C-alpha cells in the first residue's frame, strides 16, 4: 500500500503550483511586451507511432478465490444497551454461520503481445496467485490466458492465449544503447483506462530499488500508475526497451518516478520461459561481498571495484580451486564488474554450461581463469550440502598450505612446513595471548573451542578479546571470531598475525585485510585499519 500523502506535502505542492503560475504569468507578460509571438506548434506528435502499437498492448484482469475468513478480524461490538445491539448480533451471527465461504478478488494490469500466435508478457505480480486470467484486447476481444512460466526474481511472466487470427505483436529492442534523456513512450491500463499513452524521457539507468537480486531498472518520468504494471516502455522506433514494473509515490499516483525492467535483462528471461517454462540461469558458486575503500586499500587496488569472494560453495562450479576465497572478481566473460551487484546479474544472464574467462585479483596480481558455469536452479542442493555441520561450510583457503586443517587439536602446537618444507610460522603457547590492532589473540585449543562454541572445521587464530573503542571493534570483530587469513595468507598462530601486520605496515598499507570465520564457519572479509 502506498504511504498516505501528508498535509504538509500537499501544501508544498500547492505552493509550488502557485509559484509556477506566477512565473508563467510574469513570463507571458514579458513576451507580449516585447511583441514576440508565442509558438503555435508543440513538440512533434507521436500519434503515428502510438497508432501502430496500441493493438499489441493488452489489459489483463485476474480473479482469485479467497476464503471469507482470511484476513478477517474479530466482529465489532455495539455498546451494551445500544438500540443497534440486536441488529449487530443478528448480522455477525449470520456471518459466522457462513464462515468458510469464498469470494473473488479481482485485479488489473497490463501486458503486450510478443508473438502473433498469442504469447504475452506481463509482470509476475499482476497474475501471481490468480485462478483465472483474462486478456482484453484493444478491439474488445476477450480471451482466457494460460500461464506458461514465471520468474519471481525479475517479476516477469509469460502467458498464452489461443487467437482465431494472428495478433499484432511488438519486438524487443536493445535497452543497453538507450541514454539518459532519450524519449520513451509507455502504453498501459492505468486505473482501468485501457490504451492510455504517456510520453517522457529516460531519467536514469541501472537503478537498484531492492526489488530483486538483478535490479538494473530504467527510470523514466513517463507517467506510470497503478494498472500500468506489465506494460511496455517503447523507444521512438516502436521497440520494447522496458517493462513497466514499479513507481515511487507518496500518493499512489505518478509523480514522474517510474521503473522498468530493461529489455537487455527481460528478453533472455522471456525466451527461457517460452522455451522451458522456467529460467535456466548460469551459476558461479561463490559467496561475495562488496569491495569497500578500506578493502581496496588493503588489497592494493587503486579504487573500490569488483566483487570480493568471501567463500566458495562446496560442490559448485569453482570448487576445483579455479576461484578462491579472497579473490576479487574484476571481469566476467569480458564484462567489467564495477560493483558487487553487477556479478550476480551477468552470471545469471550467461548460458548454463558455458566456459567463460574470469579476471581475478589474487596475491596482488591480475589472473585470468577459465570457468564452466553450473545452473543456478541447482544451487539449493549444493548450498545445503555446503551447510553440512560436519563440514562447517569452510573452504580451505589453500589446500597446499593448510595441511593441518583436519588434524586433532593436540597436534596443532607443532609448526607445519610450508610449500618448501620450512617452518616459517612458530606456534606460541595458547596461554600467552598476543595483542595486535586492539585484538587479544590466542591459539585455538580444545578448551577455547568449547568456551566459544567453535566448530572443529574452523581453523586459524582465535580472537579472545577486542579492546572497546578500537578500530577492530568498530569493524565488527568480536571475541570468538577466528582469523583465518591476513592478506590472503593463512594464519597458524598469533605470532604469524603480528608478523604479517608488521610486514603490511612496512609496505605502506593502511589496512590489513582479514578473512574472519564465525564460530559456525561462516566467512567474511574485514579490512582493519592499522593506523
Amino acid at each position: 500500500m502506498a504511504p498516505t500523502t501528508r498535509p504538509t506535502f500537499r501544501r508544498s505542492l500547492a505552493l509550488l503550483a502557485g509559484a509556477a503560475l506566477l512565473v508563467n504569468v510574469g513570463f507571458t507578460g514579458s513576451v507580449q511586451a516585447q511583441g514576440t509571438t508565442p509558438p503555435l506548434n508543440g513538440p512533434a506528435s507521436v500519434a503515428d507511432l502510438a497508432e501502430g502499437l496500441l493493438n499489441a498492448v493488452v489489459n489483463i484482469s485476474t480473479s482469485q478465490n479467497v476464503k471469507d475468513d482470511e484476513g478477517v478480524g474479530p466482529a465489532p461490538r455495539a455498546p451494551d444497551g445500544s438500540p443497534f445491539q440486536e441488529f449487530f448480533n443478528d448480522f455477525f451471527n449470520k456471518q459466522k454461520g457462513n464462515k468458510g465461504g469464498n469470494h473473488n478478488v479481482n485485479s488489473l494490469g497490463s501486458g503486450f503481445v510478443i508473438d502473433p500466435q498469442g504469447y504475452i508478457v506481463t509482470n509476475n505480480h499482476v497474475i501471481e496467485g490468480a485462478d483465472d486470467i483474462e486478456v482484453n484486447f484493444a478491439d474488445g476481444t476477450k480471451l482466457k490466458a494460460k500461464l506458461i512460466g514465471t520468474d519471481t526474481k525479475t517479476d516477469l511472466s509469460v502467458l498464452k492465449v489461443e487467437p482465431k487470427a494472428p495478433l499484432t505483436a511488438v519486438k524487443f529492442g536493445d535497452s543497453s544503447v538507450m541514454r539518459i534523456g532519450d524519449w520513451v513512450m509507455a502504453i498501459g491500463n492505468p486505473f482501468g483506462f485501457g490504451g492510455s499513452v504517456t510520453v517522457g524521457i529516460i531519467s536514469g539507468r541501472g537503478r537498484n530499488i531492492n526489488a530483486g537480486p538483478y535490479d538494473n531498472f530504467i527510470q523514466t518520468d513517463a507517467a506510470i500508475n497503478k494498472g500500468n504494471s506489465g506494460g511496455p516502455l517503447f523507444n521512438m522506433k516502436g521497440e520494447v526497451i522496458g517493462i513497466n514494473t514499479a513507481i515511487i509515490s507518496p500518493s499512489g499516483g505518478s509523480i514522474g518516478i517510474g521503473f522498468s525492467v530493461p529489455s537487455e535483462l527481460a528478453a533472455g528471461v522471456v525466451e527461457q520461459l517460452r522455451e522451458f517454462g522456467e529460467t535456466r540461469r548460469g551459476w558461479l558458486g561463490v559467496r561475495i561481498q562488496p569491495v569497500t575503500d578500506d578493502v581496496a586499500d588493503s588489497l592494493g587496488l587503486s579504487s573500490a571495484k569488483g566483487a570480493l569472494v568471501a567463500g566458495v560453495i562446496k560442490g559448485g562450479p569453482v570448487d576445483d580451486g579455479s576461484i578462491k576465497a579472497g579473490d576479487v572478481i574484476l571481469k566476467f566473460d569480458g564484462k567489467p564488474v564495477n560493483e558487487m551487484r553487477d556479478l550476480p546479474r551477468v552470471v545469471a544472464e550467461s548460458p548454463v554450461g558455458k566456459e567463460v574467462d574470469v579476471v581475478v585479483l589474487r596475491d596482488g596480481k591480475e589472473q585470468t581463469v577459465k570457468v564452466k558455469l553450473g545452473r543456478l536452479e541447482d544451487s539449493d542442493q549444493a548450498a545445503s550440502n555446503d551447510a553440512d555441520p560436519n563440514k562447517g561450510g569452510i573452504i580451505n583457503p589453500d589446500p597446499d598450505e593448510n595441511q593441518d586443517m583436519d588434524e586433532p587439536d593436540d597436534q596443532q602446537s607443532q609448526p607445519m612446513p610450508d610449500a618448501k618444507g620450512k617452518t616459517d610460522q612458530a606456534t606460541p603457547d595458547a596461554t600467552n595471548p598476543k595483542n595486535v590492532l586492539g585484538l587479544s589473540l590466542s591459539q585455538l585449543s580444545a578448551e577455547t573451542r568449547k568456551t566459544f562454541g567453535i566448530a572443529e572445521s574452523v581453523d586459524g587464530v582465535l580472537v579472545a578479546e577486542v579492546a572497546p573503542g578500537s578500530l577492530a571493534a568498530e569493524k565488527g570483530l568480536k571475541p570468538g571470531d577466528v582469523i583465518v587469513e591476513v592478506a590472503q595468507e593463512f594464519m597458524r598462530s598469533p605470532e604469524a598475525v603480528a608478523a604479517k601486520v608488521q610486514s603490511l605496515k612496512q609496505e605502506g598499507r593502511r589496512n590489513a585485510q582479514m578473512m574472519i570465520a564465525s564460530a559456525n564457519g561462516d566467512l567474511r572479509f574485514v579490512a582493519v585499519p592499522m593506523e
Side-chain angles (χ1 to χ4, degrees), residues 59-63 132-136 142-145 161:
N59 302 343
I60 296 176
S61 60
T62 67
S63 63
D132 185 69
I133 305 172
E134 187 174 71
V135 178
N136 304 316
K142 296 182 179 181
L143 295 174
K144 296 293 184 182
V161 297

Side-chain angles (χ1 to χ4, degrees), residues 168-480:
T168 302
V170 290
K171 64 179 182 178
F172 283 110
D174 185 1
S175 61
S176 67
V177 302
M178 300 297 292
R179 301 185 301 164
I180 295 174
D182 281 345
W183 287 98
V184 288
M185 179 170 65
I187 303 179
N189 181 36
F191 301 107
F193 293 101
S196 295
V197 178
T198 57
V199 176
I201 62 169
I202 291 179
S203 307
R205 290 178 51 88
R207 297 302 195 201
N208 179 12
I209 61 174
N210 296 316
Y214 311 124
D215 279 15
N216 189 32
F217 287 98
I218 295 172
Q219 180 186 334
T220 180
D221 67 351
I224 298 173
N225 289 285
K226 292 179 179 179
N228 272 108
S229 288
L233 186 70
F234 293 104
N235 60 19
M236 291 296 102
K237 298 178 183 178
E239 299 169 331
V240 179
I241 52 91
I243 300 172
N244 301 322
T245 298
I247 61 173
I248 289 180
S249 172
S251 63
S254 173
I255 60 169
I257 305 177
F259 300 96
S260 301
V261 179
S263 61
E264 59 192 290
L265 173 61
V269 172
V270 168
E271 187 60 35
Q272 289 184 4
L273 293 178
R274 280 187 63 178
E275 185 175 355
F276 308 115
E278 61 183 3
T279 56
R280 297 186 177 181
R281 293 187 168 97
W283 177 49
L284 195 57
V286 295
R287 297 188 184 95
I288 56 175
Q289 67 181 67
V291 177
T292 63
D293 289 336
D294 287 344
V295 169
D297 176 74
S298 67
L299 293 172
L301 282 168
S302 58
S303 60
K305 61 182 179 180
L308 177 60
V309 178
V312 177
I313 304 236
K314 286 188 181 295
V318 297
D319 190 22
D320 58 359
S322 53
I323 292 180
K324 302 178 181 181
D327 288 347
V328 177
I329 298 176
L330 301 174
K331 284 186 179 180
F332 179 87
D333 199 18
K335 301 173 184 176
V337 180
N338 295 316
E339 53 183 317
M340 182 190 73
R341 70 187 184 96
D342 291 341
L343 184 63
R345 186 174 64 252
V346 295
V347 172
E349 292 172 356
S350 303
V352 176
K354 182 179 182 181
E355 290 192 352
V356 298
D357 288 333
V358 181
V359 178
V360 301
L361 181 73
R362 181 182 300 165
D363 298 327
K365 299 177 182 179
E366 289 190 11
Q367 301 180 27
T368 300
V369 297
K370 192 168 286 292
V371 173
K372 185 176 182 179
L373 298 179
R375 183 182 174 191
L376 178 63
E377 289 74 14
D378 296 334
S379 63
D380 290 343
Q381 181 60 42
S384 64
N385 292 338
D386 192 35
D388 186 334
N390 295 322
K391 298 178 180 177
I394 286 288
I395 302 301
N396 198 341
D398 191 338
D400 294 330
E401 263 188 25
N402 309 323
Q403 314 244 341
D404 59 340
M405 291 284 281
D406 297 323
E407 288 191 3
D409 290 317
D410 58 2
Q411 297 182 23
Q412 289 185 1
S413 61
Q414 299 300 319
M416 291 302 297
D418 62 11
K420 298 178 181 179
K422 298 178 181 179
T423 56
D424 61 342
Q425 292 188 12
T427 305
D429 189 340
T431 60
N432 297 323
K434 191 170 188 67
N435 293 315
V436 180
L437 301 178
L439 302 172
S440 180
L441 307 178
S442 65
Q443 195 76 19
L444 273 173
S445 65
E447 183 179 351
T448 54
R449 286 184 187 276
K450 184 177 180 180
T451 301
F452 292 100
I454 298 172
E456 289 294 330
S457 58
V458 178
D459 207 356
V461 177
L462 174 68
V463 177
E465 295 180 10
V466 180
S470 65
L471 293 174
E474 291 179 3
K475 290 295 182 178
L477 271 74
K478 59 186 183 298

